[in-house]
Amino acid sequence: MTVPPPQHPAPRDLKICPYCLNHLDWSDYGELPLVKDTPEGPEVLTRTPDESETRWLHRTLGAMRQCRGNGEPHLLPVDYGDLDPLIIGLVGATAAGKTHLLTAMIAQLERRRAMLAQELRIEPLDGRLRQRFYEERIRPFLERHEVLPSTRAGQAEFVYALRVSSRQTGRSHAVGFFDVPGEHFTGHRYDETPFMSVADAVIYVADGDKLKVGDAWNPWVPDPGFTHAITQLRRTRASGDGRLPPAVIVVAKSDVLNGLDDDDTVTRWLGRPDENTLDDLRSMRQESRDAYTFLNRHGAELWLEPFDSAAAPITIHFASASGVSQRDPSERVFPDEDFGPQRVLRPLLSLFSMAGLVPRIAVDEPDGPMDEASRLFY
Ligand SMILES: Nc1nc2c(ncn2[C@@H]2O[C@H](COP(=O)(O)OP(=O)(O)O)[C@@H](O)[C@H]2O)c(=O)[nH]1
Ligand SMILES: [Mg+2]
Ligand SMILES: [Zn+2]
């Protein structure tokens, strides 16, 4: 389907609200008031004529901007409209591993920021989101090794947001992540995933555990739930050229595939010590090619649908958020032994590279002639 070009393109300084998709005029404090979240609900802040600058700045510390939405007001990070947005959507079926992966990815990005400092300056964009993310996700999962609860349905909002200043673009970007329950991607409704209509990058997450049954390969690998999101992306691109945003496909929980007999692809990649710097991304085309072949060989063609239909740069990655499985699914904790994220940062750095925030990585070319597939890998 070809999408007609938009009739009224948004002027450059207008941003689109990722929650309600209305235009935002960031200079208009009447439309988008400064508010403070209080236990009684959001309190609108206005400056009194005789209020000193210092007191006003102090009072508005930690404030947010409120968008009226379509009758359902919501809060946005206070600097959101002053930055170039980069909206990242996580897509995948329920229990695929999205929430644990994102938690490990963000924690790793923040820990490694000194190593990336030449290219990127990374700071949290919103103190309230940061605190919630640390208390509800990073501490329980990465410090106490607890299994996180499944993501609740609710209004889709940023689960985390970063301010990323890029040497390459010379600009500051508001990088916001959406993580919603998998059911939102399997029903034939689009109201719960408005952010996908403005997503600038996508992380498709497929459950590595579904490739096997017991100790054998699964003869009937289930649908990872990507189709719905791909349709939404394809039909809502305002550019009208049908080109989808850059994306990564992540084989989550890859730890469970480690050592499975007769195919050592995952073992080889998971065991590599390259993971945390931009230079380590040099091998990503090779990894994508290996993963593509691996997924085809084991009946997971449906996992490659973003790749086949996208005409956009894509890389494929093996990753594990916890590095280990629970001993018993009823236990809500991972074993301490061998616990630790593996290769979770690579997909995100690959996305940053495809989105232009870091220089295009000079990839190590795989041996032998390039096949049709690897021409599409970033
Ligand atoms: N072995 C293993 N299990 C994982 C990993 N990440 C998540 N899990 C398991 O998969 C379940 C679902 O993960 P979750 O991140 O909540 O999936 P989501 O519904 O896609 O957000 C968790 O409750 C864990 O039991 C991983 O990296 N390795
Ligand atoms: Mg989740
Ligand atoms: Zn809005």
Side-chain angles (χ1 to χ4, degrees):
M1 188 186 106
T2 50
V3 181
Q7 300 294 305
H8 303 289
R12 251 193 71 75
D13 54 334
L14 283 185
K15 298 271 159 24
I16 290 182
C17 176
Y19 300 174
C20 65
L21 308 184
N22 289 312
H23 282 144
L24 302 173
D25 180 354
W26 213 252
S27 61
D28 185 346
Y29 282 85
E31 272 298 307
L32 294 167
L34 270 174
V35 300
K36 218 162 193 176
D37 215 11
T38 72
E40 292 79 47
E43 178 199 340
V44 175
L45 302 175
T46 40
R47 188 172 175 180
T48 50
D50 56 350
E51 185 168 13
S52 76
E53 174 85 6
T54 306
R55 192 180 139 74
W56 168 242
L57 290 176
H58 176 74
R59 259 194 335 122
T60 53
L61 275 177
M64 318 251 321
R65 297 290 288 271
Q66 186 179 52
C67 171
R68 293 206 181 117
N70 303 312
E72 279 182 58
H74 36 254
L75 301 178
L76 290 164
V78 75
D79 295 336
Y80 182 77
D82 300 324
L83 307 170
D84 285 2
L86 182 79
I87 294 169
I88 303 183
L90 270 93
V91 173
T94 304
K98 298 182 291 300
T99 298
H100 288 79
L101 175 72
L102 180 66
T103 303
M105 204 176 241
I106 288 186
Q108 200 73 291
L109 180 71
E110 299 208 325
R111 281 161 79 96
R112 303 291 175 176
R113 59 176 174 239
M115 269 193 248
L116 303 167
Q118 285 249 323
E119 293 296 338
L120 301 172
R121 199 173 72 232
I122 294 158
E123 301 155 273
L125 182 60
D126 179 322
R128 186 187 69 132
L129 287 178
R130 180 168 207 264
Q131 190 185 357
R132 202 160 70 190
F133 199 80
Y134 267 72
E135 314 244 296
E136 293 179 5
R137 296 182 176 217
I138 292 188
R139 290 216 174 91
F141 174 43
L142 292 164
E143 293 177 16
R144 303 199 292 272
H145 304 178
E146 291 166 18
V147 176
L148 297 172
S150 15
T151 309
R152 288 185 300 268
Q155 191 177 49
E157 56 172 356
F158 289 136
V159 64
Y160 201 73
L162 295 158
R163 171 203 290 269
V164 177
S165 312
S166 153
R167 195 176 62 91
Q168 176 75 6
T169 61
R171 306 181 64 92
S172 288
H173 304 262
V175 180
F177 295 87
F178 282 95
D179 177 23
V180 298
E183 298 83 53
H184 287 3
F185 292 112
T186 43
H188 287 277
R189 299 161 46 115
Y190 295 97
D191 341 357
E192 276 123 355
T193 54
F195 59 90
M196 287 302 287
S197 297
V198 285
D200 301 297
V202 183
I203 302 177
Y204 293 98
V205 181
D207 184 350
D209 200 27
K210 300 280 195 241
L211 286 177
K212 65 185 196 76
V213 187
D215 283 334
W217 297 105
N218 186 351
W220 191 258
V221 175
D223 188 326
F226 297 162
T227 313
H228 184 77
I230 294 170
T231 306
Q232 184 176 354
L233 286 171
R234 210 173 326 109
R235 302 224 173 135
T236 53
R237 296 297 95 183
S239 62
D241 62 3
R243 217 178 139 72
L244 301 196
V248 291
I249 303 171
V250 181
V251 180
K253 311 186 196 175
S254 276
D255 58 284
V256 303
L257 302 169
N258 220 339
L260 212 64
D261 46 82
D262 80 11
D263 192 330
D264 68 347
T265 313
V266 182
T267 313
R268 271 191 293 114
W269 281 103
L270 273 193
R272 278 170 78 124
D274 56 346
E275 109 130 304
N276 291 310
T277 67
L278 293 170
D279 217 36
D280 297 334
L281 286 179
R282 289 168 56 84
S283 58
M284 74 186 170
R285 184 179 282 173
Q286 177 82 61
E287 181 173 1
S288 299
R289 213 165 97 128
D290 280 6
Y292 186 91
T293 313
F294 172 86
L295 292 175
N296 259 321
R297 186 161 61 232
H298 295 295
E301 305 84 341
L302 286 175
W303 299 16
L304 300 167
E305 189 187 348
F307 172 88
D308 293 329
S309 63
I314 290 202
T315 53
I316 315 181
H317 304 260
F318 295 110
S320 165
S322 55
V324 279
S325 292
Q326 293 132 270
R327 295 216 176 84
D328 177 330
S330 67
E331 270 182 42
R332 300 305 293 165
V333 62
F334 292 99
D336 294 336
E337 200 182 335
D338 298 325
F339 180 91
Q342 293 175 301
R343 299 172 79 75
V344 292
L345 189 53
R346 271 169 77 86
L348 186 56
L349 294 181
S350 174
L351 268 191
F352 282 174
S353 165
M354 293 188 270
L357 268 57
V358 295
R360 204 192 147 101
I361 311 290
V363 292
D364 283 342
E365 288 302 335
D367 300 334
M370 296 259 286
D371 49 35
E372 204 41 52
S374 52
R375 250 180 269 283
L376 278 165
F377 293 125
Y378 176 65

